[in-house]
Amino acid sequence: MNKIFKLYKKYKEVINYVIVGGLTTFVSIVLFYGSTWTFLDGENAFQLQVANVLSWTGAVIFSYFANRIFVFESKKKNILKEFLAFVSSRLLTLLLDMGIMWLLSTFLGINYNISKIVAMVLVTIGNYVIGKFIVFRKSKK
């Protein structure tokens, strides 16, 4: 048990990011598929993007607070500035997400369910890199 705790301490940030990322993905999936299965048509290109933006918005709000508290343990006092930087960085990965969805689903005709999974993996990697090195980077003392 002691070895597991040491491993956790050593890789705490990455492990917590994976957990928070999993929860964020769950929020995104629930919002995306909940909307495409109930009130939006996933086969319609415009409504597919509406579902994408809806799931992105909910996931970003959840993800900011979870990453701030549990992953990067930010102590910055100006939460609004940090939140705006976080949202701005996520806008970049939203564009990546939308581009991937358009390319795979609309242009290449790949099923939107498969396209969404591919997009989510690539966006998750991009979000970690931007979060760690730009939004939540530690201040130099």
Side-chain angles (χ1 to χ4, degrees), residues 9 13 20 27 36 47 50 83 91 95 101 110 122 125:
K9 277 186 81 171
E13 183 178 276
V20 166
V27 168
T36 58
Q47 290 186 37
V50 170
F83 179 73
L91 281 171
L95 294 175
M101 290 297 291
I110 297 171
L122 296 174
I125 293 167

Side-chain angles (χ1 to χ4, degrees), residues 33-76:
Y33 289 112
S35 63
T36 58
W37 292 343
T38 56
F39 63 93
L40 294 172
D41 179 6
E43 301 295 330
N44 176 292
F46 176 75
Q47 290 186 37
L48 179 67
Q49 294 299 347
V50 170
N52 220 20
V53 171
L54 191 82
S55 75
W56 176 85
T57 302
V60 165
I61 292 168
F62 171 81
S63 183
Y64 168 71
F65 290 103
N67 276 292
R68 176 181 167 75
I69 296 166
F70 299 110
V71 178
F72 301 108
E73 299 175 350
S74 177
K75 305 291 186 224
K76 292 179 182 174

Side-chain angles (χ1 to χ4, degrees), residues 17-40:
Y17 185 78
V18 169
I19 293 167
V20 166
L23 293 171
T24 301
T25 300
F26 178 75
V27 168
S28 180
I29 287 171
V30 166
L31 292 172
F32 180 80
Y33 289 112
S35 63
T36 58
W37 292 343
T38 56
F39 63 93
L40 294 172

